[in-house]
Amino acid sequence: MIILGIESSCDETAVALVADGRVILASEVASQDDIHSLYGGVVPELASRQHLEVIVPLFKRCLRKSGISSSEISAVTATTAPGLSGSLLVGDNFGRAVALALEIPFVSVNHIEAHLAANFFPQLPEFPALGLVVSGGHSSLFLVSGPNNFRVLGETRDDAAGETFDKIARVLSLPYPGGPPLEKLAATAETAIRFPLPGVNNSYDFSFSGLKTAVVYYLKEHPEADKAAVAAGFQNSVVKGLVRKLDYTCNRHKVRSVLTGGGVLANNFLRCKLKEWAEEKGMELRIPSIAFSLDNAVMVAVRGFYLC
Ligand code: KG4
Ligand code: ZN
């Protein structure tokens, strides 16, 4: 069963062809970072126009690279929520048009669930699983009882983890998206400033605004501060807070594996600390490769496969 996956919820246009929910036939991603970095953040109007420009060429390139013909596609899946509405509409509309033309089903996919489905190939994990999604728009904890059974346990009460990386990067005069340059700067630090941990005590919810404010005030009070030490201190707090929240949740739910996803998982320090924690805990941990932690369409096709 070959599924066409389409992703356009924010500032990446992505198209993929996946067979049987586990064999990637083609995967194309067009990033808009160059366009939005000029403005220091995503400009929704520009994002949707750019999706429209590239979505057809990406689809054609996927067909060419996979060597299949469009008549071999069994179903079309696209991210239809959550995300920027103008951006979502491009992938949603294009997907429905392809499905109509090929007379095959169209299936709507939730973007956050798709990030967790990036852990479903090449084989399914052990269920029940705990799912952590930390991206530019979301920070959520899920109880995943099966490939089609997602229950939200906790969410951020204010900013998302990636959004906080982007905001702190901006006050450190780093370009958008802020996660990668902030991680690079932190890696050069000789010391790290201590900042409060994000999160809400005795809850599955996250909160990043207190940490964000603490860093901003620190920089106001110490204009000559070593920026690398600030970046490292901020990154330490986010990572420690996320690991602590996972541990707290794992101690209260009998799960057989932990799944992760979202752009912040591209952070190598976070990946290392999660692996250390899982090893100590004796827990099966899945972290998608960096390409599949960031927005992509393979995860959408895989999520769609289980919904078909
Ligand atoms: O999942 P994603 O590609 O898009 C959304 O669904 O939001 O996540 C993008 C987010 C951005 O906020 C970006 O700064 C963050 O992921 N990110 C990182 C790193 N690479 C990307 N955050 C921390 N460290 C990184 N290396
Ligand atoms: Zn995402």
Side-chain angles (χ1 to χ4, degrees):
M1 190 174 188
I2 296 176
I3 307 267
L4 169 67
I6 299 164
E7 162 61 38
S8 70
S9 65
C10 189
D11 58 345
E12 260 92 30
T13 326
V15 180
L17 287 162
V18 177
D20 302 325
R22 59 195 155 81
V23 183
I24 301 164
L25 304 176
S27 171
E28 293 291 318
V29 181
S31 162
Q32 301 179 4
D33 286 352
D34 290 351
I35 296 169
H36 302 294
S37 63
L38 301 173
Y39 305 91
V42 178
V43 183
E45 172 75 13
L46 296 179
S48 41
R49 284 178 188 278
Q50 185 60 17
H51 287 308
L52 205 51
E53 283 293 318
V54 301
I55 201 155
V56 174
L58 284 184
F59 173 56
K60 286 186 175 166
R61 204 182 307 158
C62 268
L63 282 179
R64 209 169 50 241
K65 285 194 174 171
S66 66
I68 69 152
S69 85
S70 55
S71 62
E72 291 174 80
I73 301 173
S74 316
V76 184
T77 66
T79 299
T80 57
L84 300 171
S85 45
S87 288
L88 285 165
L89 273 177
V90 175
D92 188 347
N93 216 333
F94 174 70
R96 285 175 203 268
V98 173
L100 185 68
L102 298 176
E103 295 184 38
I104 54 176
F106 172 82
V107 178
S108 293
V109 163
N110 174 289
H111 182 76
I112 313 178
E113 292 177 2
H115 268 302
L116 290 175
N119 300 279
F120 290 179
F121 62 92
Q123 65 274 329
L124 285 171
E126 298 270 1
F127 295 111
L130 206 65
L132 171 74
V133 180
V134 271
S135 70
H138 317 279
S139 300
S140 315
L141 266 173
F142 285 82
L143 187 63
V144 189
S145 308
N148 277 330
N149 198 330
F150 297 79
R151 180 160 74 84
V152 177
L153 290 176
E155 281 178 307
T156 184
R157 294 189 184 175
D158 37 61
D159 296 350
E163 187 183 0
T164 316
F165 265 95
D166 294 335
K167 285 180 177 165
I168 296 304
R170 198 198 290 206
V171 295
L172 290 171
S173 313
L174 298 170
Y176 175 85
L182 194 149
E183 180 182 5
K184 241 190 211 165
L185 179 63
T188 67
E190 284 168 9
T191 55
I193 313 290
R194 276 177 77 96
F195 290 116
L197 295 189
V200 182
N201 285 338
N202 303 318
S203 156
Y204 302 123
D205 283 348
F206 300 100
S207 165
F208 291 95
S209 66
L211 168 63
K212 184 184 70 185
T213 308
V215 178
V216 169
Y217 272 95
Y218 183 88
L219 282 168
K220 267 191 188 151
E221 286 159 13
H222 305 83
E224 304 300 322
D226 172 13
K227 286 185 174 178
V230 173
F234 163 75
Q235 185 175 261
N236 280 347
S237 278
V238 173
V239 169
K240 235 187 227 172
L242 291 176
V243 172
R244 202 178 263 199
K245 188 64 67 181
L246 262 188
D247 195 61
Y248 173 85
T249 314
C250 262
N251 291 340
R252 281 156 185 80
H253 291 274
K254 274 206 168 71
V255 293
R256 300 175 70 190
S257 61
V258 169
L259 317 178
T260 61
V264 180
L265 260 302
N267 186 289
N268 281 302
F269 184 64
L270 174 61
R271 297 171 84 88
C272 282
K273 292 295 166 192
L274 284 173
K275 283 177 193 165
E276 277 174 28
W277 166 80
E279 211 159 282
E280 222 168 84
K281 198 105 181 147
M283 178 63 74
E284 185 198 337
L285 169 71
R286 296 229 178 156
I287 307 180
S289 67
I290 290 182
F292 296 132
S293 296
L294 295 163
D295 283 352
N296 66 90
V298 170
M299 66 184 196
V300 178
V302 174
R303 178 71 194 105
F305 171 77
Y306 288 97
L307 288 169
C308 282

